[in-house]
Amino acid sequence: MMDLKDKKVFIETYGCQMNFADSEVVTAILGEAGCRRCESAEEADYVLINTCAIRDNAEQRIHHRLRDLRALQQKRRLYVGVLGCMAERLKQQLMIEEENVSFVVGPDAYRCLPEVMKRVTEGAKVAETELSTTETYSDIVPVRLDGNGISAYISIMRGCQNYCAYCVVPYTRGRERSRDAESIVAEARGLFEAGYKEVTLLGQNVNSYRWEDVTFAQLMARVAEISPLLRVRFATSHPKDLSDELLETMAKYENICKCIHLPLQSGSERMLKLMNRRYTPEWYMGRIEAVRRYMPDCSITTDVIAGFCGEEEEDHQATLEMFKKVGYDYAYMFKFSMRPDTYAEKHLKDDVPDAVKGRRLEEIIKLQGEIALKNNRKDIGKTFEVLVEGTSHRSKEQLFGRNSQNKVIVFDRGDVKVGEYVKVRVTDCTAATLIGECVTAQGGRLNA
Ligand code: 5AD
Ligand code: SF4
């Protein structure tokens, strides 16, 4: 069988942070097998597309990309493989629809990749889409891709079994399982020793993390204790199990970032019930109040879906009201997209006309823009500690970084270096960005 040694592989990643973390695991697995990474499809022997299935437009994008790759494949030998959630959802079907795809490998089967990639060179078409109840890739040290060397993702659990009615993830990523705490702490320590300043602990629902008797809050505390110079972030929490223990831990450690992503999905009690979210707007508000009680300076962000099955005008109004009441610092806002095999597809009707979904989404976006601007204005005059991440996209003379609240701040470069902690005083803002001036530039110390 053909050897993979020195075969050039290009990985393209779509979708959530989890997928980006998985691409780093895949790169490590293929590196072990002798493959080399390359920077574009043009140079590659294999192109791997790590895909997302969360909404129909995410999948359409991938179909377009796969068709684009045909032009390259007509000129020379190039194997195209599909990984991730769309691979898991469509399995062999994907290779029937897209004839230029030679293999599909689901999120729990990445260890099979070297074998699969060898088999396709013999003309086989291969689908490996078995889901696992135990795979966490905990022994694999991810190879960091397109990183700035400052901030890295660490996957701490996989899968989801909340079965929100609209969501395809339980079907593409399987049952929930937690990675062993020792390997997570070791990975974080390794990153810090390599010069990283920030880690983001990832899982579809981090609050359900449990390994032996270690809870998510205890895991975070252990990572935070590696060094006060290592920032710790996490995503995502399901509001139904956001615990006080977690909030207490966040408040206790200065280097655990004061930012919490708490997907609302809808502000209507009736919709939340249909969505199987298992909380009411009142209960959600209670959690928001708890966050503010423990951490008055914590930013809160969310996800919301406009136009879910049966959504009436009054449900939509309830969502707008909730947005006003909470005052989110940032929101990811989506039009509902019916996904095959979900509870919604089997039992509910996608009955909100597309134009109405679009209009409701626009109203949420407009409101959120106003709220974010108002929130950012409250930051004018405050001084934040900022981890500098790079040169601003608008001007080479400016740097950007984020504060603990995860807000982007741009400021004049001076003699500040990327990777340093600096104090920045906010002087102005837009709805998306804070603008400031650096007031200390010694770098290196938190809370100096
Ligand atoms: N349609 C629209 N948005 C969705 N999301 C999940 N499933 C769907 C869907 N079918 C959104 C939710 C989730 C985020 C990752 O994507 O808001 O929190
Ligand atoms: Fe997309 Fe969800 Fe899969 Fe992430 S887990 S890639 S958001 S479908």
Side-chain angles (χ1 to χ4, degrees), residues 16 54-55 166-169 236 261 263 265 277 303-305 332 334-339 342:
C16 65
I54 197 103
R55 283 169 290 276
Y166 48 80
C167 190
V168 76
V169 173
T236 294
H261 185 66
Q265 313 302 5
R277 290 292 286 175
D303 293 346
V304 69
I305 299 175
Y332 297 89
F334 310 104
K335 252 204 275 191
F336 172 61
S337 161
M338 184 65 99
R339 304 313 290 134
T342 56

Side-chain angles (χ1 to χ4, degrees), residues 364-390:
I364 301 172
I365 292 172
K366 179 164 175 287
L367 172 64
Q368 179 50 33
E370 292 161 10
I371 294 170
L373 181 62
K374 212 166 87 195
N375 284 357
N376 282 352
R377 284 206 177 119
K378 286 191 212 145
D379 286 337
I380 294 176
K382 291 186 193 162
T383 298
F384 292 104
E385 184 173 69
V386 172
L387 174 58
V388 186
E389 288 178 43

Side-chain angles (χ1 to χ4, degrees), residues 1-258:
M1 205 182 267
M2 201 210 65
D3 195 356
L4 287 178
K5 194 156 163 30
D6 293 331
K7 291 291 169 210
K8 283 184 266 170
V9 181
F10 177 61
I11 306 191
E12 213 167 272
T13 309
Y14 296 81
C16 65
Q17 295 165 326
M18 205 69 190
N19 257 17
F20 283 82
D22 279 358
S23 287
E24 300 185 329
V25 167
V26 167
T27 304
I29 291 171
L30 295 180
E32 277 294 303
C35 296
R36 284 196 288 140
R37 246 169 78 196
C38 67
E39 299 301 319
S40 72
E42 282 69 22
E43 313 161 51
D45 298 306
Y46 292 88
V47 173
L48 306 183
I49 315 272
N50 196 356
T51 59
C52 176
I54 197 103
R55 283 169 290 276
D56 186 58
N57 58 12
E59 290 201 359
Q60 291 316 319
R61 246 180 104 196
I62 313 270
H63 283 299
H64 281 127
R65 180 63 181 136
L66 289 171
R67 280 162 208 170
D68 282 349
L69 284 168
R70 282 188 202 161
L72 272 180
Q73 287 174 297
Q74 269 150 18
K75 286 190 233 148
R76 62 181 179 84
R77 171 150 296 174
L78 167 66
Y79 298 103
V80 173
V82 176
L83 315 181
C85 291
M86 210 176 143
E88 191 62 49
R89 192 178 84 69
L90 293 168
K91 307 188 170 64
Q92 296 89 333
Q93 182 61 30
L94 187 56
M95 294 189 289
I96 298 168
E97 283 172 29
E98 303 284 352
E99 284 178 16
N100 60 326
V101 173
S102 307
F103 54 106
V104 299
V105 178
D108 286 346
Y110 294 147
R111 288 183 204 265
C112 303
L113 263 171
E115 212 37 54
V116 169
M117 286 164 58
K118 285 180 201 164
R119 279 171 58 201
V120 299
T121 61
E122 292 159 357
K125 291 232 169 191
V126 189
E128 287 287 353
T129 52
E130 188 99 42
L131 286 171
S132 156
T133 55
T134 53
E135 179 64 271
T136 59
Y137 301 110
S138 79
D139 55 316
I140 293 172
V141 181
V143 172
R144 304 293 159 188
L145 299 172
D146 65 36
N148 48 12
I150 297 165
S151 182
Y153 296 130
I154 302 181
S155 153
I156 65 160
M157 61 181 302
R158 303 179 71 81
C160 177
Q161 57 212 43
N162 287 324
Y163 292 99
C164 300
Y166 48 80
C167 190
V168 76
V169 173
Y171 308 94
T172 64
R173 287 190 165 267
R175 309 288 293 171
E176 238 168 57
R177 70 219 90 128
S178 299
R179 177 176 164 191
D180 79 273
E182 304 305 329
S183 78
I184 296 168
V185 175
E187 187 175 327
R189 184 172 292 116
L191 286 164
F192 181 68
E193 283 163 2
Y196 282 81
K197 300 277 170 56
E198 182 178 276
V199 293
T200 303
L201 307 182
L202 291 182
Q204 257 85 28
N205 179 16
V206 291
N207 297 103
S208 325
Y209 177 88
R210 189 148 194 117
W211 184 75
E212 295 183 345
D213 54 0
V214 184
T215 64
F216 179 61
Q218 289 163 344
L219 174 73
M220 268 232 296
R222 286 188 55 188
V223 175
E225 274 164 17
I226 291 171
S227 165
L229 294 177
L230 182 67
R231 277 184 170 182
V232 188
R233 299 187 185 277
F234 63 94
T236 294
S237 321
H238 193 302
K240 78 175 159 54
D241 38 31
L242 175 67
S243 69
D244 278 35
E245 185 204 9
L246 175 63
L247 298 177
E248 225 170 274
T249 307
M250 286 178 76
K252 182 171 158 201
Y253 291 89
E254 200 77 42
N255 56 330
I256 298 182
C257 290
K258 302 299 175 276

Side-chain angles (χ1 to χ4, degrees), residues 163-167 171 274-275 308-309 336-350:
Y163 292 99
C164 300
Y166 48 80
C167 190
Y171 308 94
L274 271 181
M275 289 173 162
F308 184 63
C309 305
F336 172 61
S337 161
M338 184 65 99
R339 304 313 290 134
D341 299 327
T342 56
Y343 179 90
E345 199 234 4
K346 288 184 195 143
H347 304 283
L348 304 173
K349 262 177 60 195
D350 188 6

